[in-house]
Amino acid sequence: MIERIALWDITSQCNLKCKHCYNEERYWGKNKYNELSKEDIDKVLSSLIKMNATALHLLGGEPILCSNIEYILKKAKENNLQVTMVSNGTLIDEKIFKKLCQLELTALSISMDGTDQESHDYIRGNGSFNKTIENLKTMVKYKKENNVNIIIGIALTLTKKSINSAKNLIKFGEELGIDGVTLAYVTNEGKAKEDYSNLGVTEEEKFSVIDRVISDYKNNTTGLSLYIDARQLLGEYIFKKYGIKIQTTNLGCKGGNSRFYIIADGTILPCSPVGTTMGKFIKEKYLKGFNPPNVLENNFLEIIESNYFINFYNFAHNIENYNILNPCKECNYNCYPCPLLYNINNPNVKECLYAKKKIIEIESLMLKTSFSKKDNLRINTLKDKIEIIDFYNQDKYILEDIGFDIWNLIDGIKTVEDIINIIKKTITLIMIFI
């Protein structure tokens, strides 16, 4: 059974006007705010249950401004839906946070645009940083004093204005006492398109922040969790440089299959971008003449069998539609980026190309490196294998065949490249005599 997650804009209202708002073209400047009545909320939740949804992610607008947010949380709880929420944090005082905890909100992510007032307020407006931090401290204090299980985190969107402050993300999270931090990046969509030259970051700038964040995270002792918006090549780079495995994203398009996006008026889409100018290509070529369904008017079967969803799915899951992305075709990971970013300027592809370049640099450096055996190891040399015991870490390894030969070649002088060449020559000689 496919477990499905629904992302739901429960209101179009927001108290801020962020310079990079991805929902700007959808909600800004409208004459009236969209949000559903309790009767309509029941219809939405009923549809989600029938589509085997297990989790609900509340968005907006600013979800706290939804007049029926308590009703949504109460009904979601009754239907065993795990609920998480993103908020700008400026309105969540102790009274509101207490209610969210009582209604068993699973996790709360506070959106931020820097770890200092200057970079954050540049995006969100004067006074927003201090108010958000004040409320975050109140939330953490309440959580500790009342021993509630809600997860509190921050999600920082990296912009050119926050490069320096973002490098302090781990220390910032530790000092706040929150559970986790997320690092993402501004994209050239929504309101950000108007000033992307001053907001967007280069791959070099992005990786400089990632390097600092990962380095600090490696030394973190508070249990703070870290999530980075990263493709698999970036994950490989981080592992090879720092020895840390991170969760990677973008393993193919999940839109219309295990992910659905509900707009504040009940319109349901395979994902958020397809309903904006970012989805212009697919709308003009594959979805022309078809209107997206609405959860208030269509049942689940009608939704997934609608021409809108079928045509989207056929496009997004056809490997031929990725042929322009040559780096992806040549990559071994087969993760493929968002199909709506259908050109070589795809930010995910740029990330992968830069990560690949950095991986090559690391591997070249490794080839010139020599290693010595640690003093704390206990070695048992057997007939055709070696048993290595690390007393400090309580680990045990068995080396046989080529591993046995490589171990015997490690002397603190020979480089990795030297050892590889010796092994190659040995194998060549063996092949000659076979």
Side-chain angles (χ1 to χ4, degrees):
M1 181 184 294
I2 297 174
E3 291 190 348
R4 295 188 165 99
I5 297 175
L7 289 74
W8 183 7
D9 290 345
I10 59 174
T11 181
S12 62
Q13 291 189 72
C14 190
N15 60 317
L16 300 181
K17 295 284 186 181
C18 301
K19 292 180 184 292
H20 57 33
C21 179
Y22 69 92
N23 256 339
E24 177 259 349
E25 64 182 274
R26 185 173 281 145
Y27 295 139
W28 286 28
K30 305 298 180 183
N31 291 326
K32 72 170 188 173
Y33 294 116
N34 286 324
E35 59 182 59
L36 304 182
S37 65
K38 291 181 179 180
E39 181 182 356
D40 288 339
I41 288 168
D42 288 338
K43 291 180 182 178
V44 173
L45 292 174
S46 176
S47 293
L48 294 180
I49 297 304
K50 289 176 182 176
M51 69 195 325
N52 297 321
T54 57
L56 186 59
H57 191 50
L58 304 184
L59 303 163
E62 167 53 47
I64 294 299
L65 288 173
C66 176
S67 58
N68 288 318
I69 185 172
E70 290 185 22
Y71 185 79
I72 292 171
L73 289 169
K74 178 174 175 287
K75 288 296 182 179
K77 178 184 174 183
E78 290 175 2
N79 287 284
N80 297 314
L81 285 169
Q82 186 182 66
V83 185
T84 56
M85 184 172 75
V86 171
S87 168
N88 62 44
T90 59
L91 304 175
I92 306 180
D93 56 19
E94 183 174 342
K95 180 181 178 181
I96 291 175
F97 184 69
K98 179 180 179 180
K99 179 60 69 174
L100 295 176
C101 293
Q102 290 172 341
L103 293 168
E104 297 184 15
L105 182 70
T106 303
L108 175 63
S109 177
I110 303 299
S111 302
M112 301 206 68
D113 295 287
T115 63
D116 60 23
Q117 182 177 344
E118 181 181 359
S119 56
H120 183 84
D121 283 4
Y122 175 81
I123 299 293
R124 296 180 179 262
N126 293 336
S128 57
F129 179 82
N130 288 337
K131 190 61 183 173
T132 300
I133 296 304
E134 177 188 342
N135 287 342
L136 266 170
K137 290 178 178 177
T138 298
M139 294 179 220
V140 171
K141 182 173 182 286
Y142 181 88
K143 175 184 174 177
K144 290 180 178 178
E145 290 178 349
N146 295 276
N147 196 30
V148 290
N149 292 323
I150 188 171
I151 298 169
I152 305 171
I154 60 170
L156 188 145
T157 300
L158 179 65
T159 67
K160 198 173 288 291
K161 299 295 183 180
S162 64
I163 291 171
N164 289 329
S165 76
K167 292 177 180 179
N168 298 317
L169 181 59
I170 299 300
K171 183 179 179 182
F172 185 68
E174 290 173 340
E175 290 176 347
L176 283 172
I178 57 178
D179 300 295
V181 294
T182 294
L183 177 64
Y185 330 101
V186 67
T187 54
N188 192 11
E189 56 181 306
K191 187 67 174 175
K193 289 186 296 185
E194 297 179 11
D195 195 26
Y196 193 70
S197 60
N198 290 317
L199 294 177
V201 294
T202 65
E203 293 306 312
E204 185 176 2
E205 290 168 335
K206 172 178 161 181
F207 273 63
S208 73
V209 173
I210 291 171
D211 280 329
R212 171 65 182 277
V213 168
I214 291 292
S215 180
D216 287 352
Y217 178 68
K218 191 173 182 178
N219 298 318
N220 167 58
T221 58
T222 64
L224 183 79
S225 67
L226 170 65
Y227 177 80
I228 294 180
D229 181 14
R231 268 40 58 187
Q232 294 189 46
L233 272 169
L234 175 51
E236 180 182 338
Y237 162 73
I238 290 172
F239 178 71
K240 286 186 172 177
K241 184 168 183 178
Y242 298 99
I244 293 176
K245 287 186 177 181
I246 64 166
Q247 180 184 350
T248 53
T249 58
N250 220 7
L251 299 176
C253 176
K254 297 179 176 64
N257 186 20
S258 60
R259 298 289 186 277
F260 294 84
Y261 184 82
I262 304 171
I263 299 176
D265 64 1
T267 300
I268 185 165
L269 303 168
C271 63
S272 172
V274 73
T276 67
T277 53
M278 185 176 164
K280 183 179 179 181
F281 168 79
I282 185 175
K283 282 189 285 189
E284 291 180 349
K285 190 169 183 180
Y286 294 91
L287 304 178
K288 195 170 184 178
F290 302 122
N291 293 319
N294 191 296
V295 288
L296 306 181
E297 302 166 359
N298 306 103
N299 61 41
F300 177 58
L301 199 60
E302 291 172 337
I303 290 169
I304 61 172
E305 291 185 352
S306 66
N307 287 323
Y308 191 94
F309 267 74
I310 288 174
N311 284 11
F312 174 89
Y313 191 88
N314 289 340
F315 163 77
H317 297 271
N318 183 354
I319 195 68
E320 295 301 317
N321 289 326
Y322 294 87
N323 279 343
I324 194 172
L325 301 174
N326 289 320
C328 293
K329 289 196 297 181
E330 298 167 2
C331 180
N332 294 325
Y333 282 118
N334 296 319
C335 58
Y336 291 99
C338 172
L340 300 181
L341 298 169
Y342 192 66
N343 55 69
I344 200 62
N345 292 318
N346 186 307
N348 296 344
V349 174
K350 288 182 177 180
E351 174 192 289
C352 291
L353 290 174
Y354 195 84
K356 190 172 183 179
K357 173 187 169 186
K358 301 297 285 184
I359 289 169
I360 291 171
E361 291 175 2
I362 292 170
E363 290 175 343
S364 298
L365 182 62
M366 287 175 64
L367 287 173
K368 304 298 181 184
T369 303
S370 59
F371 295 94
S372 299
K373 298 165 184 173
K374 292 197 296 185
D375 293 335
N376 64 295
L377 300 178
R378 301 294 183 267
I379 313 299
N380 296 325
T381 303
L382 307 175
K383 182 179 179 182
D384 55 355
K385 62 184 177 182
I386 294 176
E387 182 181 69
I388 303 172
I389 301 172
D390 185 335
F391 271 57
Y392 291 168
N393 297 323
Q394 296 182 319
D395 293 327
K396 183 171 75 171
Y397 308 92
I398 303 292
L399 299 180
E400 302 178 83
D401 303 322
I402 291 178
F404 180 94
D405 296 332
I406 291 173
W407 178 261
N408 288 327
L409 290 168
I410 295 174
D411 57 8
I413 299 173
K414 295 184 187 71
T415 65
V416 172
E417 190 172 29
D418 292 335
I419 293 173
I420 290 173
N421 289 333
I422 291 170
I423 295 296
K424 282 182 177 178
K425 287 178 182 178
T426 303
I427 292 174
T428 301
L429 286 171
I430 292 172
M431 295 301 294
I432 290 172
F433 290 104
I434 290 179

